[in-house]
Amino acid sequence: MRFHDRSEAGRALARRLRDGRPEAGAAPAAGAPRGAVVLALPRGGVPVAYEVARALGAPLDVLLVRKIGHPHHPEYGLGAVAGDAPPLYDPAALAGSGLTERDLAATARREGAELRRRESLYRGGRPAPALAGRWAVVVDDGLATGATARAALRAARAAGPARLTLAVPVASPGGLRAVRGEADDVTCLYAPADFGAVGLWYDEFEQLTDADVLELLGTG
């Protein structure tokens, strides 16, 4: 399975969520209950989440989280930071990299500063959406190590949703295992054993800009 672009992936993901057929082993979703809100992980998750929100008739917002990448391979996530919580690291990824949390402290601070910049830009002073008692659907364009999604889900869980779903078009099997305990259910369309990287499963996987995000959020 491959996707042409993030929009196509979002439409396919929306059909799965709307039909209430989450990934095998996950709790069944009974369609789009009243009070659903779709939370995109910027930037790549926003076009995917836009299609999901439109299909579910739910509001779209962002959940700000920043990956803490390997110093020499920034796309390889060793941890992530979300909200005001301390950085959340992947112990196995850290061990494999030979690095410690102390080694990554400066990177974590930079990512925290970028998170705050984006939150100010994307929200323009708007408060984060109230999630208490609602169905929160957290959406990204893919899941590699799971470090970013785990931090995002913990931040969302702290806001008290009645149900918390992670929805991604493609994921690594290891990444799925890493997030299982963080969400009430996980919807994933494809989890190839030869995952490699998220971008390999898209024909078009261009980097998005802040302007792209603002346009999709309707604030640009």
Side-chain angles (χ1 to χ4, degrees):
M1 179 183 290
R2 288 180 61 84
F3 304 102
H4 174 64
D5 58 15
R6 293 179 177 92
S7 295
E8 180 189 75
R11 289 190 290 271
L13 193 58
R15 286 192 293 271
R16 178 71 63 87
L17 287 162
R18 189 178 54 207
D19 293 345
R21 290 182 285 115
E23 180 183 347
R34 184 178 181 183
V37 59
V38 176
L39 300 170
L41 302 191
R43 297 184 179 112
V46 178
V48 183
Y50 175 85
E51 299 293 343
V52 171
R54 186 167 67 167
L56 297 183
L60 172 65
D61 211 306
V62 289
L63 177 55
L64 277 297
V65 60
R66 290 291 297 169
K67 179 191 305 179
I68 300 172
H70 190 290
H72 303 302
H73 305 283
E75 289 305 309
Y76 183 70
L78 301 176
V81 59
D84 296 323
L88 178 66
Y89 291 98
D90 182 325
L94 273 183
S97 71
L99 298 171
T100 67
E101 294 184 17
R102 185 173 181 177
D103 294 330
L104 296 167
T107 301
R109 286 193 296 272
R110 286 196 301 271
E111 297 300 348
E114 175 62 12
L115 184 151
R116 290 186 290 275
R117 183 196 72 82
R118 291 191 184 191
E119 185 166 30
S120 175
L121 176 64
Y122 297 163
R123 287 224 168 92
R126 289 184 298 111
L131 301 184
R134 304 178 76 176
W135 178 28
V137 184
V138 176
V139 179
D140 203 358
D141 56 8
L143 187 69
T145 66
T148 302
R150 285 177 65 224
L153 289 167
R154 289 192 183 186
R157 178 74 77 187
R163 177 181 171 200
L164 179 59
T165 295
L166 174 67
V168 292
V170 63
S172 71
L176 286 179
R177 288 192 296 270
V179 301
R180 282 296 183 197
E182 306 291 349
D184 296 317
D185 51 79
V186 178
T187 295
C188 176
L189 301 180
Y190 190 40
D194 58 341
F195 176 78
V198 173
L200 296 177
W201 304 98
Y202 290 84
D203 295 326
E204 295 183 5
F205 196 70
E206 71 283 354
Q207 294 298 310
L208 275 74
T209 66
D210 287 337
D212 295 327
V213 171
L214 292 170
E215 181 177 358
L216 289 166
L217 292 176
T219 58

